[in-house]
């Protein structure tokens, strides 16, 4: 393989490794409408830190400590989420910070 092709292959791999779309996670703590979770996938053998105050969609509630949940990471920042169209005001895209619990696995 030519050096330039290898460069682009590695670049694409690096970009994909930093785009988060969905993952399984374990519920560590439950609050009213949110939960703290621990993503179960590892990156390069390293565990991820806890993600705090993750919204739980209404149809999923209730969740319990120890549940294995499916989490989606939104396309844009959720900091200003409201019932009206809103400007995210942050450039974050596909960040673990913007997780939403969308289901509970029946394991």
């Amino acid at each position: 393989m030519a050096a330039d092709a290898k460069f682009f292959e590695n670049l694409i791999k690096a970009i994909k490794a930093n785009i988060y779309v969905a993952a399984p996670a374990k519920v560590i703590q439950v609050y009213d409408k949110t939960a703290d979770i621990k993503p179960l996938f590892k990156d390069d053998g390293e565990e991820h830190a806890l993600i705090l105050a993750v919204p739980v969609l209404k149809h999923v509630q209730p969740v319990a400590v120890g549940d294995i949940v499916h989490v989606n990471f939104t396309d844009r920042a959720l900091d200003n989420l409201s019932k009206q169209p809103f400007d995210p005001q942050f450039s974050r895209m596909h960040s673990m910070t913007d997780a939403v619990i969308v289901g509970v696995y029946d394991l």
Side-chain angles (χ1 to χ4, degrees):
M1 181 178 302
D4 57 344
K6 188 70 173 166
F7 168 80
F8 285 109
E9 183 179 300
N10 288 336
L11 177 62
I12 291 167
K13 184 177 179 180
I15 290 169
K16 286 180 178 180
N18 288 295
I19 296 175
Y20 297 100
V21 177
K26 184 173 188 175
V27 176
I28 304 300
Q29 183 69 43
V30 177
Y31 305 100
D32 183 29
K33 297 178 183 178
T34 66
D36 297 344
I37 62 169
K38 174 79 171 169
L40 295 178
F41 286 144
K42 294 180 179 181
D43 275 340
D44 295 325
E46 297 291 320
E47 293 186 13
H48 288 279
L50 292 179
I51 305 172
L52 307 177
V54 175
V56 180
L57 294 184
K58 190 187 301 187
H59 75 277
V60 178
Q61 294 178 17
V63 297
V65 171
D67 281 350
I68 304 303
V69 296
H70 189 80
V71 181
N72 284 359
F73 305 105
T74 61
D75 292 336
R76 301 289 303 274
L78 287 177
D79 300 86
N80 295 322
L81 179 64
S82 71
K83 292 183 178 185
Q84 302 298 322
F86 65 97
D87 181 357
Q89 294 181 329
F90 296 97
S91 61
R92 280 192 324 266
M93 298 178 76
H94 301 283
S95 170
M96 285 189 156
T97 304
D98 300 304
V100 178
I101 296 172
V102 298
V104 178
Y105 287 100
D106 185 14
L107 300 176

